[in-house]
Amino acid sequence: METLVIISHAPYCDWTGRESLDMAFSLAAFDQPVTLLFTGEGVNWLRKAQQADAVQQKSVEKNLSAAPIFGVSALMADHKACKRYGLNEENMMPGITTTDLCAELLEHYAHVVNLS
């Protein structure tokens, strides 16, 4: 009974993405299987070497690197969104699986959460 949490907002535009991340970490901390899927502007969470201090915020890169420690099953990114925002293996954090966002993917999860 795995949950898919979708993050579709850019990392520093509002708190929706951070709230989604907190939800995923909370579920995982209570041994609930959870996967994070980044799509749309949300794929920018996965960009290496972010300059969060330029917008006076903490880097989300550090938060995401803790996902395996919390027990998040997987980090996935929508292939089309990555292409749109110029993300690839070289400029994206390690351990990300790219996938096609489609109904078939969503059917694999008992719960799908998208706070946007």
Side-chain angles (χ1 to χ4, degrees):
M1 201 163 117
E2 188 159 356
T3 300
L4 178 67
V5 176
I6 299 173
I7 296 180
S8 58
H9 288 265
Y12 306 104
C13 72
D14 64 21
W15 293 103
T16 306
R18 288 188 187 266
E19 290 170 352
S20 298
L21 185 64
D22 288 346
M23 180 188 309
F25 284 179
S26 296
L27 286 166
F30 286 99
D31 295 325
Q32 300 299 309
V34 62
T35 293
L36 282 165
L37 172 64
F38 297 86
T39 187
E41 294 176 346
V43 296
N44 288 298
W45 279 70
L46 307 173
R47 192 173 299 277
K48 283 183 187 176
Q50 297 180 21
Q51 302 297 320
D53 55 339
V55 290
Q56 299 176 343
Q57 292 195 27
K58 293 181 181 177
S59 173
V60 296
E61 193 173 353
K62 291 179 183 177
N63 296 98
L64 288 176
S65 66
I69 296 167
F70 279 91
V72 173
S73 302
L75 298 175
M76 297 190 306
D78 176 41
H79 174 74
K80 288 180 184 175
C82 287
K83 186 174 179 181
R84 179 177 178 202
Y85 288 96
L87 286 168
N88 55 48
E89 285 186 25
E90 289 141 17
N91 62 5
M92 198 165 34
M93 295 174 49
I96 308 300
T97 302
T98 56
T99 187
D100 291 321
L101 178 59
C102 61
E104 185 178 310
L105 172 70
L106 302 178
E107 290 173 359
H108 291 299
Y109 297 92
H111 306 284
V112 177
V113 178
N114 186 354
L115 296 182
S116 57

